[in-house]
Amino acid sequence: MLVSDFNFDLPKERIASQPMEPREAANLLHVVSDKNLKLEDLHISDFPNLLREDDFLVFNDTKVIPARLFGLRGKAAIEATLFKSFGINKWEALIKNSRRLHENDIIDFLPPNDPNAVPLQAKVIGKKETGQTLLEFIADPSELFSLLEKYGVMPLPPYIHREKTEYGEDKKNYQTVYAKNPGAVAAPTAGLHFTNNILQKIADRGIDNAKVTLHVGGGTFLPVKVEDTKDHIMHAEMGIVSQEVCDKLNEVRSQGRRIVAIGTTALRLLESSADEKRIFHPYHQETSIFITPGYTFKGIDALFTNFHLPCSTLFMLVCAFCGTDEMKKAYQHAIEKEYRFFSYGDACFLENEKSK
């Protein structure tokens, strides 16, 4: 398939730079892909009522670390976004003007609002052909995450622009209310819509859930640079599905109940841990699963997700679930109805009834 098959025109004004307040006031497009496509304009607050009483929800409980850092190498300004960890205190980073950096250079990172603080230092230990700079932080490894809370800001997507002193609210806004396990450098954005109130309404209906962990990497923001999808090399992300969660999921499957993924990150991890017989197995490794139309879903039955970028792997994924023509029609409807797109935007609930 050609990557251009997944293109669509999106006006810039449809890209959200701030979340809706309150979160549950955001729009929700209910998409039912059946013999005839069904679209219904709702709000996030309506989501609990769309669920069946025996549905089983799966959330991604990864926690976003403040992975964007500002500093100096000598007098040269440096802006770095941590991309992926590859060892104790060692990170791949995307750095603006990285060509100015050389091996063994020391970067002094400073809190965005305290230029007189003692710097958090990192040494350049190499570069990758793909453009990432390899950094090793000069700090106690057990304290690194807490130091990043002080020195870093949230690693917002490149289409959201902030001055370095304007990230204050993002530490709350760019984090799910159920975030638990630190390690992501991008948010599982579908989960940003869920407030404690929404979660309580779901629980009040007797609908159960489980948590899995997929540490979303910076690769989620990288564009697809090939012409044919078969040539794309998908980024890898660390995922964890426990035996306890697998036992619950397999019980749900045996009872004929639906598994509803909250976000594409939860979906990708569930699909990675399910075998061809739709049985789940414990999972603790990286996944680079790349889902395009023609894929047979083994792990999920419905999906709650945000609106994704044109030609992105995530738009390909939702097209695989509901159909490319159907999703293009749904997205065009959302554009015409002035839905808000991408990480801080609105959401859709996808149900595919064609295969049942």
Side-chain angles (χ1 to χ4, degrees):
M1 287 170 288
L2 296 178
V3 172
S4 58
D5 293 340
F6 303 94
N7 195 19
F8 58 89
D9 292 325
L10 180 70
K12 289 184 178 179
E13 59 268 24
R14 298 273 54 81
I15 301 173
S17 60
Q18 298 285 353
M20 182 67 70
E21 285 293 340
R23 296 187 188 194
E24 57 200 73
N27 293 317
L28 176 67
L29 180 61
H30 184 201
V31 180
V32 180
S33 182
D34 206 337
K35 293 178 181 178
N36 295 305
L37 180 67
K38 301 172 185 176
L39 303 175
E40 185 178 15
D41 298 306
L42 300 168
H43 294 92
I44 300 298
S45 56
D46 297 309
F47 178 63
N49 295 325
L50 296 179
L51 296 169
R52 302 172 187 174
E53 290 185 357
D54 63 351
D55 278 344
F56 190 85
L57 275 55
V58 180
F59 296 88
N60 179 9
D61 68 0
T62 188
K63 186 174 184 179
V64 184
I65 61 174
R68 180 166 291 167
L69 297 161
F70 302 94
L72 298 169
R73 188 227 56 193
K75 294 184 178 180
I78 299 293
E79 180 181 335
T81 300
L82 303 185
F83 188 84
K84 183 179 179 181
S85 174
F86 64 98
I88 298 176
N89 276 24
K90 295 180 179 179
W91 286 80
E92 297 178 15
L94 297 175
I95 297 181
K96 290 185 177 181
N97 297 322
S98 62
R99 64 183 182 277
R100 299 179 180 178
L101 295 174
H102 303 92
E103 197 164 330
N104 295 320
D105 279 351
I106 299 295
I107 303 173
D108 292 324
F109 291 115
L110 299 165
N113 295 301
D114 187 3
N116 298 314
V118 176
L120 170 62
Q121 293 188 317
K123 181 168 70 172
V124 177
I125 59 174
K127 293 186 179 182
K128 296 183 70 173
E129 292 182 0
T130 49
Q132 294 94 317
T133 299
L134 307 182
L135 300 178
E136 181 173 14
F137 285 93
I138 304 171
D140 183 336
S142 66
E143 296 179 358
L144 182 59
F145 281 161
S146 61
L147 288 169
L148 290 175
E149 289 290 338
K150 176 182 178 181
Y151 286 82
V153 299
M154 289 309 235
L156 299 181
Y159 46 79
I160 297 177
H161 300 286
R162 299 272 193 276
E163 297 298 327
K164 67 180 181 180
T165 56
E166 296 178 342
Y167 285 85
E169 291 299 308
D170 293 300
K171 282 194 175 180
K172 176 188 72 174
N173 292 336
Y174 198 62
Q175 194 80 270
T176 65
V177 297
Y178 48 82
K180 180 180 179 181
N181 297 309
V185 296
T189 54
L192 298 180
H193 294 288
F194 287 79
T195 62
N196 289 321
N197 181 48
I198 288 285
L199 293 173
Q200 187 60 53
K201 287 182 178 180
I202 292 170
D204 289 345
R205 293 197 59 204
I207 297 170
D208 202 0
N209 72 84
K211 307 293 195 304
V212 297
T213 305
L214 183 76
H215 292 314
V216 191
T220 193
F221 298 134
L222 296 180
V224 179
K225 296 182 179 180
V226 297
E227 293 184 1
D228 196 304
T229 58
K230 66 179 175 58
D231 298 321
H232 178 64
I233 300 175
M234 191 71 171
H235 61 281
E237 296 167 319
M238 177 57 69
I240 304 169
V241 185
S242 69
Q243 179 68 62
E244 180 183 4
V245 169
C246 287
D247 291 342
K248 287 185 179 180
L249 292 168
N250 289 327
E251 180 183 9
V252 169
R253 273 278 185 260
S254 69
Q255 296 169 344
R257 297 158 58 193
R258 294 197 310 179
I259 294 173
V260 181
I262 304 302
T264 56
T265 60
L267 180 152
R268 293 179 66 240
L269 186 51
L270 290 173
E271 293 299 321
S272 299
S273 64
D275 65 21
E276 296 300 323
K277 296 181 180 180
R278 308 187 83 198
I279 296 173
F280 293 93
H281 302 276
Y283 194 92
H284 193 155
Q285 63 189 71
E286 289 188 333
T287 177
S288 56
I289 188 171
F290 180 29
I291 297 174
T292 57
Y295 177 85
T296 300
F297 287 84
K298 309 181 295 292
I300 67 114
D301 303 290
L303 172 65
F304 180 100
T305 185
N306 279 26
F307 289 93
H308 305 294
L309 283 73
C311 296
S312 65
T313 60
L314 296 181
F315 184 62
M316 295 174 197
L317 184 155
V318 297
C319 288
F321 187 67
C322 276
T324 303
D325 290 342
E326 288 82 355
M327 289 311 302
K328 283 189 172 183
K329 290 176 183 177
Y331 271 45
Q332 185 58 41
H333 172 90
I335 292 168
E336 292 172 358
K337 293 291 185 178
E338 299 188 347
Y339 277 64
R340 303 161 70 250
F341 275 62
F342 305 163
S343 293
Y344 274 154
D346 297 319
C348 50
F349 181 46
L350 308 181
E351 298 181 276
N352 184 352
E353 302 294 334
K354 290 188 292 185
S355 60
K356 294 181 174 57

